[in-house]
């Protein structure tokens, strides 16, 4: 529970954004602080060193003048040495080339021999600086300074000065820096909070707009043009929304078409039976006639319902294709055989041509239905004494079924609509021959399910050609 809430908290873009801004701001602030302080410290110590060296230089010259390295008795030199050790709050040692201490500001080492390595090395002309900066009591700068005359080393000065002022200045600066840093941190956090709040507000607006649409308060396209990203999101959403709308419209149209189509036979049945009922002594002849009509209307209703069921079943993706390896030639023959009686009845010549045996992976039932519907249309929308030709052909990847007829054809501009549900070019003729206007919708649906294509071309009064192209291997 708590973990979930914590997880949700960090999942928020706003929180992450805030954290990133805060982190960047805080690290920048900390880095700058340490850089400035360290830099100050280094500079201050350097200045102290320079000062000491200059002083040691002057002192060295005085010691040479007073011949202090030969005879360490000059009062003037001793006064200067004491003065300097006082100024730097430290200690000064004078060593001659034999490494004997000639003077110690603390008076301890006079006359003893130096064992310190840095002092020995200074006799080779090496100048050395050593810093120890710990705290106010122990922080020092130690300098070993060789004193030369005409290129000869005459002795060395060892001086230790306190850097206490630097350390105490550092302490003051650190306190100040802490205070400033605290203010800056608060400012950064505040700024990060405001920034993340403002920058992410457009996303809230998107959510609100989408919720409004979901709740039905609005169906306007949403527009949050603040950022490229919000534009992309809202653009995608609007496209989805208009697709949903289009789908909704087409469903509504379908429902109203269905109701209309189902009502037509019922109306006829109602009229027929009412007429009979209103004539108590109608002749048997009339009863038979009317009942025959009623029976036909019921058949029609039945066909419409059957076609609708086929469509709806196929619409559901849950009903997958039942793919098997099928001999297309044989299957087409079987379908055509079933249609021969009506062709004969209408005096239409029905033939099939094939260049080779075709085996393909299709749903047998659906494929039969495709051929059935196309050939049935070709027979029914034909003329007395006309012909229907079915041609099969294949290349390695696709096979085609071409159904041509010498029928009534249809105007070019109708071709775009013939796959629509309930669409009929000539309503009365379709009705006469028992059409529902659903046949070609079912055909196209089956073809699409097979990842194939269907194409029609027609000339009014001359004939129509339907070509179906399906893949040989189903994938
Ligand atoms: N071979 C064809 N020749 C002329 N018109 C056709 C042909 N096939 C289909 N049509 C036209 O397309 C319409 C839709 O066909 P279809 O969906 O099978 O419905 P139905 O056959 O039930 O009317 C038909 O009503 C008809 O007007
Ligand atoms: Mg049909």
């Amino acid at each position: 529970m708590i973990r979930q809430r914590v997880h949700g908290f960090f999942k928020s873009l706003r929180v992450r954004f805030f954290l990133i801004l805060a982190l960047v701001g805080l690290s920048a602030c900390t880095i700058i602080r340490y850089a400035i302080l360290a830099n100050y410290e280094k500079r201050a110590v350097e200045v102290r060193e320079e000062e000491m060296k200059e002083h040691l230089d002057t002192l060295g010259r005085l010691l040479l003048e007073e011949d202090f390295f030969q005879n360490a008795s000059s009062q003037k030199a001793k006064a200067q040495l004491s003065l300097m050790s006082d100024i730097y709050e430290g200690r000064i040692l004078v060593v001659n080339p034999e490494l004997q201490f000639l003077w110690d500001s603390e008076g301890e080492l006079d006359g003893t021999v130096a064992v310190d390595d840095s002092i020995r090395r200074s006799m080779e002309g090496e100048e050395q600086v050593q810093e120890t900066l710990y705290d106010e009591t122990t922080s020092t700068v130690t300098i070993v300074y060789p004193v030369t005359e005409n290129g000869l080393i005459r002795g060395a000065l060892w001086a230790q000065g306190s850097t206490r002022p630097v350390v105490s200045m550092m302490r003051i600066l650190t306190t100040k820096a802490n205070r400033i840093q605290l203010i800056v941190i608060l400012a950064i956090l505040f700024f990060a909070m405001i920034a993340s709040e403002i920058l992410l507000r457009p996303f809230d607006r998107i959510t609100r707009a989408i919720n409004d649409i979901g709740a039905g308060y609005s169906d306007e396209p949403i527009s949050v043009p603040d950022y490229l990203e919000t534009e992309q999101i809202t653009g995608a959403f609007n496209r989805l929304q208009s697709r949903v709308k289009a789908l909704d419209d087409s469903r509504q149209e379908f429902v109203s078409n269905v109701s209309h189509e189902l009502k037509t036979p019922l109306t006829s049945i109602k009229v027929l039976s009412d007429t009979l009922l209103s004539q108590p002594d109608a002749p048997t002849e009339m009863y038979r006639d009317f009942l025959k009509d009623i029976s036909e209307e019921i058949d029609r209703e039945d066909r419409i319902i059957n076609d609708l069921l086929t469509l709806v079943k196929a619409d559901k993706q849950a009903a997958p294709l039942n793919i098997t390896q099928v001999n297309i030639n044989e299957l087409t023959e079987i379908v055509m055989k079933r249609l021969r009686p009506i062709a004969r009845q209408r005096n239409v010549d029905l033939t099939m041509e094939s260049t080779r045996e075709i085996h393909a992976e299709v749903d047998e039932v659906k494929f039969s239905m495709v051929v059935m519907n196309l050939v049935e249309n070709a027979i029914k929308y034909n003329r007395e004494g006309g012909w229907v030709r079915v041609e099969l052909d294949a290349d390695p990847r696709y096979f085609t079924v071409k159904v041509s007829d010498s029928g009534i054809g249809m105007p070019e501009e109708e071709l775009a609509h013939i796959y629509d549900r309930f669409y009929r070019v000539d309503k009365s003729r379709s009705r006469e021959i028992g059409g529902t206007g659903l046949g070609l919708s079912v055909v196209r649906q089956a073809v699409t399910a097979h990842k194939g294509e269907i194409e029609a071309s027609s000339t009014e009064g001359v004939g129509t050609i339907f070509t179906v192209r399906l893949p040989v291997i189903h994938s």
Side-chain angles (χ1 to χ4, degrees), residues 307 373-374 377-382 405 407-410 418-420 422-427 430-431 433-441 458 463-466:
D307 281 356
N373 268 293
L374 292 179
N377 281 348
I379 296 170
K380 287 176 171 176
Y381 300 104
N382 217 314
D405 66 61
I408 57 169
M410 46 193 150
I418 52 175
Y419 305 105
D420 294 353
F422 298 116
Y423 192 85
R424 279 155 288 182
V425 177
D426 181 347
K427 278 227 176 214
S430 166
R431 202 174 147 72
I433 61 177
T436 59
L438 292 172
L440 286 179
S441 336
S458 186
T464 308
I465 304 172
F466 275 96

Side-chain angles (χ1 to χ4, degrees), residues 201-203 205-206 209 221-235 238:
R201 211 166 270 168
F203 289 95
R205 284 219 303 283
I206 293 180
I222 51 180
S223 159
V224 181
D226 302 47
Y227 307 125
L228 191 64
E229 286 78 0
T230 55
E231 258 174 3
Q232 284 167 345
I233 294 174
T234 53
N238 287 335

Side-chain angles (χ1 to χ4, degrees), residues 170-418:
M170 277 299 285
R171 179 162 295 179
I172 293 168
L173 285 181
T174 306
T175 321
K176 245 185 207 151
N178 282 344
R179 212 168 302 146
I180 293 172
Q181 200 177 15
L182 187 75
I183 293 168
V184 172
I185 285 173
L186 289 178
I188 286 174
L189 291 181
F190 182 70
F191 165 78
M193 218 162 77
I194 301 283
S196 61
E197 179 58 37
I198 289 175
L199 285 173
L200 290 176
R201 211 166 270 168
F203 289 95
D204 292 344
R205 284 219 303 283
I206 293 180
T207 313
R208 221 174 309 128
I210 293 180
N211 280 338
D212 279 357
I213 289 174
Y217 298 139
S218 147
D219 56 358
E220 299 286 298
I222 51 180
S223 159
V224 181
D226 302 47
Y227 307 125
L228 191 64
E229 286 78 0
T230 55
E231 258 174 3
Q232 284 167 345
I233 294 174
T234 53
F237 179 81
N238 287 335
R239 280 193 294 283
L240 177 73
Q241 167 86 343
S242 59
R243 249 183 60 194
V244 169
K245 249 190 228 161
L247 214 70
D248 206 45
D249 288 351
S250 95
R251 187 166 29 216
Q252 245 164 35
E253 191 188 300
F254 179 61
V255 169
S256 88
N257 282 343
V258 168
S259 329
H260 177 77
E261 294 297 330
L262 290 177
K263 253 187 101 143
T264 321
L266 282 181
T267 315
S268 301
I269 293 170
K270 173 81 175 154
V271 170
L272 289 167
S273 46
D274 277 358
T275 313
L276 278 184
L277 285 174
S278 70
Q279 298 185 6
D281 34 50
T284 327
E285 207 67 345
M286 192 177 165
Y287 268 99
R288 290 199 62 85
D289 258 12
F290 275 41
L291 281 176
K292 200 175 139 254
D293 287 351
I294 289 177
S295 169
E296 268 168 21
E297 291 297 334
I298 291 175
D299 283 346
R300 184 172 162 65
E301 185 95 34
D302 192 49
R303 270 197 309 275
I304 297 175
I305 290 173
N306 277 334
D307 281 356
L308 272 176
L309 284 179
T310 320
L311 258 184
V312 172
K313 239 192 273 166
D315 253 345
K316 272 197 277 180
Q317 281 304 321
L321 293 182
N322 180 15
I323 299 288
T324 50
Q325 180 82 16
V326 170
N327 183 329
I328 300 297
N329 301 61
E330 261 173 32
L331 195 62
T332 310
E333 292 275 18
I334 294 170
V335 173
M336 287 173 71
K337 203 167 164 188
R338 278 167 57 196
L339 289 168
R340 280 236 148 76
I342 32 169
R344 206 171 302 130
Q345 198 185 352
R346 282 159 197 261
N347 202 9
V348 170
D349 186 32
L350 187 55
T351 55
M352 182 181 125
E353 275 170 37
S354 172
T355 49
R356 67 181 90 170
E357 281 283 280
I358 301 166
H359 294 268
E361 293 175 1
V362 294
D363 181 318
E364 197 172 327
V365 174
K366 288 213 161 103
F367 179 74
S368 306
M369 193 194 60
V370 168
V371 178
M372 181 90 174
N373 268 293
L374 292 179
V375 177
E376 194 186 8
N377 281 348
I379 296 170
K380 287 176 171 176
Y381 300 104
N382 217 314
R383 58 180 166 83
E384 178 68 24
W387 50 262
V388 173
R389 198 166 55 229
V390 179
E391 290 162 75
L392 300 180
D393 196 6
D395 62 30
R397 297 184 59 204
Y398 291 92
F399 71 95
T400 51
V401 182
K402 192 160 135 188
V403 181
S404 335
D405 66 61
S406 62
I408 57 169
M410 46 193 150
E412 179 85 41
E413 63 271 17
E414 300 283 345
L415 291 178
H417 305 292
I418 52 175

